[in-house]
Amino acid sequence: RAFSLPTALIDSWCQFARCSVPYVAEASGLVQFEISWDAERSGRKITPERYIVAFPNQEKGRQRYHSSLLSMRVVKEADVPKEYATVADGTGKAEGDTDHIEFELLLRVNEASVQQQLRITAGPVRVNPESGQRESRRIDLGRCVRQLATDVVDDPRGRRVVRNRWWISIGTMRLVCMANSVDCQALDEPGRPPLEWVLCLADERTGRTGEA
């Protein structure tokens, strides 16, 4: 559904990102992005790369929101902390595909308590063969989104923010697509229609991220 935040909150994160961030979503809603193979760069790319995400906060009986900045980018396995690297099949064997999608969620230090709301699910979008309707196949991707790397980093404006990061390997994404009969050729071949994925940061259908 349509959703908006006060302009001041949006401008604040745009200043942090040093670019315009036109996409805004509620934490319980869907963050939509596409992955494709960029022939010019000879690598995978994500669009859009950033969202401003709002978490609900009840204050004195009034509905307010804490805001955050979600960034997504393609990284190599060498850029993923060893303890957070994921494999495609869960066997512990090297998957051979070194690309991962890195998700980075930034929160103001005084609003970091919204981390307790994180219940992360993700999955591809497909067309239902029976109804013809588009549908998301969100699932709990297990360890790769249950273990978050959390630290505090400096804001370019002199402030500090809490950074949460998690990673999903391209191999894992490929297997999820195959299991749901979703065409994922765009991950490896130029000129293919982009692969559509969705992410929900506060999915009420699953347990809190970080729980055993």
Side-chain angles (χ1 to χ4, degrees):
R1 68 188 179 89
F3 181 76
S4 62
L5 281 173
T7 302
L9 289 179
I10 295 175
D11 288 345
S12 176
W13 287 117
C14 289
Q15 291 174 15
F16 181 96
R18 297 179 179 176
C19 65
S20 174
V21 185
Y23 301 95
V24 180
E26 289 182 273
S28 59
L30 297 180
V31 169
Q32 300 176 309
F33 59 96
E34 296 180 343
I35 309 170
S36 60
W37 184 272
D38 188 332
E40 293 185 2
R41 297 168 50 191
S42 189
R44 300 178 178 99
K45 68 175 183 179
I46 293 179
T47 53
E49 297 181 328
R50 296 176 182 85
Y51 267 82
I52 293 173
V53 181
F55 289 82
N57 175 52
Q58 290 287 347
E59 183 178 308
K60 297 180 179 179
R62 299 178 61 186
Q63 181 71 58
R64 296 179 180 273
Y65 289 92
H66 288 327
S67 61
S68 62
L69 178 65
L70 175 68
S71 300
M72 300 168 283
R73 66 187 183 117
V74 179
V75 300
K76 294 298 182 182
E77 190 171 35
D79 297 319
V80 180
K82 187 175 181 180
E83 62 270 31
Y84 298 102
T86 60
V87 294
D89 57 6
T91 64
K93 298 178 181 179
E95 64 174 312
D97 193 328
T98 60
D99 276 358
H100 284 61
I101 306 300
E102 178 183 85
F103 300 87
E104 177 187 77
L105 182 68
L106 299 178
L107 299 156
R108 296 178 179 84
V109 171
N110 63 324
E111 298 178 356
S113 60
V114 302
Q115 293 174 107
Q116 298 175 13
Q117 299 180 34
L118 292 177
R119 297 173 176 85
I120 303 170
T121 57
V125 175
R126 73 169 190 177
V127 176
N128 187 300
E130 296 181 359
S131 66
Q133 299 294 315
R134 289 164 52 82
E135 60 183 16
S136 63
R137 307 295 293 176
R138 298 197 320 277
I139 60 173
D140 181 344
L141 291 178
R143 178 177 178 270
C144 60
V145 295
R146 282 192 178 280
Q147 294 190 7
L148 306 182
T150 302
D151 54 8
V152 178
V153 297
D154 291 327
D155 181 321
R157 298 164 299 178
R159 304 171 187 173
R160 309 197 80 191
V161 294
V162 175
R163 178 176 66 173
N164 292 280
R165 291 180 297 162
W166 63 98
W167 297 264
I168 301 176
S169 71
I170 292 296
T172 295
M173 300 179 81
R174 188 180 291 113
L175 284 182
V176 172
C177 288
M178 293 172 61
N180 287 278
S181 302
V182 175
D183 184 352
C184 61
Q185 295 181 79
L187 291 175
D188 307 293
E189 301 178 15
R192 297 286 183 176
L195 173 63
E196 296 180 70
W197 265 59
V198 295
L199 176 79
C200 182
L201 294 180
D203 194 329
E204 298 176 353
R205 305 177 308 170
T206 188
R208 182 169 64 86
T209 298
E211 292 179 344

